[in-house]
Amino acid sequence: DRGSAPDFTAKEIDEQPAAARRLLDGLLGRLQGGQLLEDLGLGAPARIRLVACGTSGHAAEVTARVLAVEGAIPTRVVTASEPDLAVPEPGTLTVAVSQSGETADVLAALDRWGDPVLAITNAPRSSLARRADAVLGLGCGPEVGVAATKTFTAQVVAGVALALAVASGTGRLSAARLAHLEEVLDGLPMRLATTAARAAGPAADLAEELAGEPGVVFVSRGAGVPYAREGALKLEELTYRWVEAVPAGELKHGPIALLGPGTPAVVVAAKPRGRLAVGIAEMTARGARAVVVGPPEDATLPTCAPSEEPPWGPLEAAIALQLFAREMTVRLGHEVDRPRNLAKSVTVE
Ligand code: M6R
């Protein structure tokens, strides 16, 4: 039941702060010393392989970054449909990230390795959950819109919690830093709600302005890159516009050729400073229209971000970009909850 919401996607975008709150309430306080892993019946891994598709792959990228930055844990993200590069290595924990738990490519990829499998899923009775040795549930309630929204933010929260627990378990992440990061995570639901309120109007205005554009470039740097990719995926699957999402430093190696007068270039930024500012200057020098998603002082799509960028990056930007993609879809007259050619669960390889 979508209640008074115009579509399920709108309802599910709205549900994100509450879903993140529930999940955090179950996870915070269990990270110190790797407690969460112990609760899941898993030992401390020497390395981690994350396997996923689509939006879940972007949540996996965020998780991998936190594992690397906070725990120096060797980590690889494997696109489930392209598993060949990940060879079996002893001591690996495979973390399968899948909202539905029914994605055939993910299930098939797991057959290749003999590792213990931890499933991060919103479907505790799914094929993936049954196949896995342990399950970290998202508890978001059903997600009906084909475009993943609330399950993405929840996957990031669960993945970050897992990464911090692993990093704390190895002793690399100090108790003091963990306590600080837990506090920042604790404030996330509030920041997601504030971002939704702040970005809704600007997202609608921007959608109106850009609805006639054939394509949109998305850039970011560092921890923002998975969110640039996620914003791009949301826009393309809902609006059928071409998108290009790259780290800003890659622009000069090819994608900058796409830019001409007025080309929309979405910049996902905790703070559009340093090398990202250089990327923006490179784009605007070619006439591109920079649309910054970040703290209000710099942004077209304002978010509510912590004062210092956390290792999981500007997660709040995901909500602003979901709102933008949905608004543009409505303006174009496309079906919001059921984009063409797509299924909610992709059960074929
Ligand atoms: O159910 P899963 O998380 O395994 O699905 C993976 C992708 O098919 C899914 O994230 C897809 O990219 C979404 N439609 C994106 O919004």
Side-chain angles (χ1 to χ4, degrees):
D1 176 17
R2 62 181 163 79
S4 58
D7 44 72
F8 280 101
T9 306
K11 174 173 180 272
E12 290 155 5
I13 291 174
D14 259 17
E15 286 171 347
Q16 287 175 102
R21 178 76 275 152
R22 276 196 308 275
L23 192 53
L24 284 166
D25 285 347
L27 291 171
L28 294 179
R30 297 166 66 200
L31 311 183
Q32 175 70 43
Q35 180 66 44
L36 178 63
L37 285 172
E38 225 177 289
D39 295 350
L40 290 166
L42 297 168
R47 53 181 61 77
I48 290 189
R49 166 189 298 132
L50 291 136
V51 56
C53 299
T55 286
S56 300
H58 300 143
E61 285 175 25
V62 176
T63 305
R65 192 175 181 89
V66 180
L67 282 160
V69 170
E70 299 297 332
I73 315 284
T75 305
R76 159 171 258 159
V77 178
V78 181
T79 300
S81 56
E82 292 290 339
D84 294 353
L85 289 175
V87 297
E89 285 171 300
T92 302
L93 170 67
T94 291
V95 180
V97 188
S98 172
Q99 171 279 131
S100 64
E102 300 297 345
T103 298
D105 286 327
V106 172
L107 296 167
L110 296 178
D111 289 341
R112 303 172 70 95
W113 312 297
D115 319 320
V117 173
L118 168 63
I120 297 184
T121 181
N122 197 37
R125 277 182 281 281
S126 58
S127 307
L128 174 62
R130 287 197 303 273
R131 158 74 177 78
D133 300 276
V135 177
L136 184 45
L138 301 176
C140 288
E143 186 176 71
V144 176
V146 164
T149 53
K150 63 179 175 177
T151 57
F152 172 68
T153 41
Q155 284 169 341
V156 171
V157 168
V160 167
L162 174 72
L164 296 180
V166 173
S168 173
T170 64
R172 282 226 176 222
L173 175 61
S174 72
R177 173 133 176 98
L178 175 62
H180 166 68
L181 293 175
E182 285 194 290
E183 202 180 309
V184 182
L185 270 179
D186 195 43
L188 176 71
M190 185 62 90
R191 292 193 303 273
L192 291 175
T194 306
T195 299
R198 254 181 212 171
D205 294 345
L206 188 67
E208 182 78 46
E209 284 168 43
L210 300 187
E213 293 290 341
V216 179
V217 174
F218 288 74
V219 299
S220 189
R221 289 202 76 91
V225 172
Y227 303 105
R229 294 204 174 107
E230 174 56 13
L233 174 59
K234 229 71 313 169
L235 193 73
E236 80 181 341
E237 74 175 329
L238 289 175
T239 68
Y240 320 145
R241 291 317 194 234
W242 291 95
V243 295
E244 173 82 7
V246 288
E250 281 294 292
L251 277 172
K252 56 186 175 297
H253 299 290
I256 202 163
L258 290 171
L259 303 178
T263 310
V266 172
V267 181
V268 180
K271 298 249 184 294
R273 313 258 185 275
R275 295 170 75 196
L276 190 53
V278 174
I280 297 174
E282 276 175 359
M283 295 191 298
T284 50
R286 272 79 185 177
R289 171 173 176 192
V291 172
V292 175
V293 188
E297 55 276 19
D298 301 301
T300 313
L301 282 186
T303 65
C304 173
S307 49
E308 216 175 276
E309 189 181 70
W312 54 87
L315 173 55
E316 297 82 4
I319 283 210
L321 291 169
Q322 292 164 0
L323 289 167
F324 166 56
R326 184 191 162 277
E327 287 290 348
M328 197 187 292
T329 310
V330 171
R331 263 153 198 79
L332 293 169
H334 299 319
E335 170 59 57
V336 178
D337 291 335
R338 281 189 306 275
R340 70 185 183 196
N341 306 342
L342 287 168
K344 183 66 180 162
S345 301
V346 184
T347 54
V348 288
E349 278 182 60

